[in-house]
Amino acid sequence: MPIPVLQPLRRRVRYLSPLLWLALALLLEAGYHVSRFRVPAPELELDPPFYTSCQEPPDPGNGSAPAGARARESAALVMLARNEEAGAAQHSVASIERRFNRWFGYPYVFLNDRPWSEDFMATIRATTNASVAFEVIPPEQWTFPASLDKEKAQASIEKQGRDGIMYGGLTSYHHMCRFFSGAFYKLEALKKYKYYWRIEPDVDFSCSITYDPFVEMARHKKVYGYTIALGEEGTTCPSLFRQVADWKEAHSIRSTDLWRASMSPSRLPWPLRTFAKHLPHRDRRGDSWNLCHYWSNFEIADLDFFRAAPYQSLYAQLEKAGGFYFERWGDAAVHSLAVNLLAEPRKLHHFADFAYRHDYYYQCPANARDGQLPASGPLNAAEPRWAPERDDGVGCRCSCDSARPRNVGAYCLSKLREPTSTKRPWRTWVLGWVY
Ligand code: GDP
Ligand code: MN
């Protein structure tokens, strides 16, 4: 017997049911869509540290060995700097010499858009025995590209300054980001090198680096090494991801796990999500970049990756789009999207055993338990004391405080390590929904 009060409800349900089915279908579609971006965890760590304890460093000799004589890969330490940064540059060189280069003797290449001051050169020469080249960047590589409307670009830069976009109002900063995205790899001064280690004024390395990272990069066929990963300032690059994603589509490049790890899939069902494509950081399907990138003020990378046709083609498109000036695209974001797009995950290396600080951000590993070679003469000469050892430590004689958070961009670091790491911190999963 029908219950009278339920009659209108039944009618409504019958009337609603096509809509309920549709809603269910959309929900399933959205769920399926999101699931396609899941990155499976590998069964083994695919990118462990090259070493997880101190190694006996090469014999430093008596210090009179010819500079650069011990270098074993075709590589250089490269720093872009301004004359007025002599003290800060010296600080970085002293740090990397004490912790690494005293044993390895790799040459330095200093780059500047202006002629070097005597003071800068003397300061650096007094800080290292390695060979040092002071190069001036050709003016055409430190300016607006010829194809760009200079006045419009300048007006945009002024507006970015007024809008408070980080470094947006500084023309030189735009030139710098463009330089590190494109011309850098093709500089005459770097032609003879395959690998570079980029450093900046005022950085610190506070663990000892007792093996040759260039040799290990070569041995493991790595193209890009980093320490810190964090989220990009979104206002500097609203259209960058779209440009890269469009280039990817135009060249029919399939998504690697690393590309997927750098994206946040839209949670809207098709076709609703395609309407979101006009928002910043979206591809034309409406999915977005999670803004995670490697912090490029530290990089150990294979110059040939950037010199090769795919990267150069991508760079040409970015240059044409004008975003180095009409927005304030950073070279870190450009490099990161490019390697995540063009390199297989195993070609990347996270230098988890390096302690690195730039500004307020740092990575600080704990020291490896029983891995500190207490009797090593060269190590004791460089760093006789070190912070406490831990079972999960990978560092060598680190003096930074490893009790404090290890890596500022913890979300981005574990996100970008998803394709190569078996570890999935729950925090990353939770934050993935917020991002
Ligand atoms: P941040 O690290 O993004 O905060 O920016 P920095 O001011 O440290 O600049 C990044 C790098 O580019 C550093 O190595 C600077 O020395 C260098 N740099 C920035 N602007 C200029 C410039 O106008 N001329 C030169 N020669 N170097 C610059
Ligand atoms: Mn800096």
Side-chain angles (χ1 to χ4, degrees), residues 70-336:
R70 292 181 295 274
R72 275 167 291 164
E73 262 302 329
S74 163
L77 306 164
V78 184
M79 186 193 291
L80 173 74
R82 291 165 281 219
N83 283 319
E84 58 271 28
E85 292 175 300
Q90 180 182 41
H91 177 91
S92 300
V93 171
S95 176
I96 205 166
E97 282 296 317
R98 182 157 81 108
R99 291 301 202 156
F100 167 70
N101 211 39
R102 61 197 292 158
W103 302 306
F104 292 90
Y106 275 98
Y108 289 84
V109 178
F110 283 84
L111 304 171
N112 194 344
D113 60 313
R114 310 238 165 107
W116 288 103
S117 71
E118 283 306 323
D119 172 59
F120 190 103
M121 295 191 284
T123 306
I124 297 301
R125 285 201 183 105
T127 314
T128 174
N129 293 325
S131 87
V132 187
F134 293 97
E135 302 286 339
V136 177
I137 298 164
E140 66 276 13
Q141 289 168 354
W142 192 276
T143 184
F144 301 96
S147 57
L148 203 77
D149 181 337
K150 229 169 159 176
E151 274 165 31
K152 247 172 85 183
Q154 200 63 63
S156 168
I157 289 169
E158 273 153 36
K159 179 167 185 320
Q160 292 168 47
R162 286 194 301 277
D163 292 348
I165 290 170
M166 201 190 208
Y167 296 119
L170 277 180
T171 306
S172 59
Y173 200 89
H174 290 261
H175 291 330
M176 185 272 287
C177 293
R178 170 173 175 254
F179 167 74
F180 267 131
S181 300
F184 175 67
Y185 319 100
K186 295 168 146 188
L187 283 182
E188 203 53 47
L190 296 184
K191 279 235 165 87
K192 57 178 183 244
Y193 300 114
K194 180 166 166 65
Y195 297 97
Y196 68 100
W197 178 340
R198 178 172 156 192
I199 47 179
E200 273 200 13
D202 190 31
V203 301
D204 281 303
F205 291 91
S206 36
C207 300
S208 293
I209 299 163
T210 51
Y211 61 89
D212 184 331
F214 301 117
V215 167
E216 298 303 326
M217 292 283 287
R219 175 149 61 196
H220 293 86
K221 302 191 169 55
K222 302 281 186 181
V223 297
Y224 192 85
Y226 61 95
T227 50
I228 293 173
L230 35 68
E232 178 60 295
E233 186 69 54
T235 52
T236 63
C237 55
S239 71
L240 171 62
F241 179 69
R242 180 60 173 275
Q243 285 293 332
V244 177
D246 283 353
W247 183 88
K248 172 180 184 283
E249 295 240 340
H251 292 79
S252 312
I253 295 174
R254 83 181 168 84
S255 300
T256 61
D257 279 346
L258 203 46
W259 180 257
R260 271 190 280 275
S262 64
M263 287 187 71
S264 289
S266 169
R267 278 157 180 90
L268 291 172
W270 186 88
L272 288 181
R273 65 174 168 267
T274 57
F275 300 141
K277 70 182 176 192
H278 301 294
L279 296 174
H281 318 301
R282 304 267 170 165
D283 65 16
R284 66 181 185 83
R285 296 195 176 81
D287 297 307
S288 60
W289 171 35
N290 59 20
L291 297 176
C292 289
H293 67 295
Y294 314 108
W295 219 24
S296 65
N297 44 71
F298 170 101
E299 279 180 329
I300 299 183
D302 182 346
L303 286 158
D304 291 338
F305 170 82
F306 296 99
R307 289 164 177 155
Y311 182 83
Q312 288 298 317
S313 159
L314 171 62
Y315 174 72
Q317 164 147 343
L318 299 183
E319 172 114 315
K320 206 166 89 203
F324 290 109
Y325 296 96
F326 293 113
E327 296 177 7
R328 211 236 66 215
W329 295 351
D331 53 283
V334 171
H335 292 183
S336 302

